[in-house]
Amino acid sequence: MIPPTPAASDLDRTLAALADPVRRQAIDMLRRGPRRPAEMAAAFDVSLPVMSKHLRVLRQGRLIEEMPVENDARMRRYRLRPEPFEDLGAWLEEVQAFWSDQLDAFKDHVARRRRGPR
């Protein structure tokens, strides 16, 4: 087995964090701007402890980060971190390019076979 590179480990962490539908919905909500955990819990109709667990996974996956809230050290707000999504997008582009190349090669092969031997 080939040991994972640091980039592969980061990608694995990103994909694992995105594996749950509630966490993907949380990402969608955070795309519109920073949010408090209570606000997110209410939007998804889950308890605050459940939402906190999802946010912990997203933090551990480095997809989100805490933001300080002025005048209240107890209050937390979260925002997206762009880097993991940029890395995920780059990987998806590589996979898509591979399949595009494969399909183009297959298309050329079929076209040559249709023309027949020369």
Side-chain angles (χ1 to χ4, degrees), residues 37-38 40-42 44-54:
M40 297 173 76
F44 300 131
D45 196 29
V46 298
S47 68
L48 188 54
V50 167
M51 191 74 240
S52 293
K53 287 179 184 179
H54 286 297

Side-chain angles (χ1 to χ4, degrees), residues 70-87:
E70 288 184 33
N71 304 324
D72 193 345
R74 298 169 299 150
M75 182 83 59
R76 292 187 179 135
R77 284 180 18 163
Y78 293 95
R79 67 178 167 202
L80 293 179
R81 294 184 66 246
E83 300 86 2
F85 297 99
E86 292 164 356
D87 295 343

Side-chain angles (χ1 to χ4, degrees), residues 95-113:
V95 171
Q96 184 176 8
F98 168 79
W99 285 111
S100 293
D101 291 346
Q102 293 294 310
L103 291 172
D104 288 344
F106 181 68
K107 180 181 167 186
D108 293 344
H109 170 74
V110 169
R112 283 191 305 274
R113 296 217 12 129

Side-chain angles (χ1 to χ4, degrees), residues 31-62:
R31 285 178 30 212
R32 293 186 286 276
R35 299 281 189 265
R36 293 174 309 161
E39 181 183 359
M40 297 173 76
F44 300 131
D45 196 29
V46 298
S47 68
L48 188 54
V50 167
M51 191 74 240
S52 293
K53 287 179 184 179
H54 286 297
L55 292 170
R56 185 176 329 117
V57 172
L58 292 171
R59 269 194 334 271
Q60 290 169 343
R62 300 183 183 143

Side-chain angles (χ1 to χ4, degrees), residues 6 8-9 11 15 20 33-34 36 43 45-46 51 64 87 111 114 117:
S9 295
L11 182 61
L15 292 171
D20 186 275
R36 293 174 309 161
D45 196 29
V46 298
M51 191 74 240
I64 64 172
D87 295 343
R114 286 187 177 163

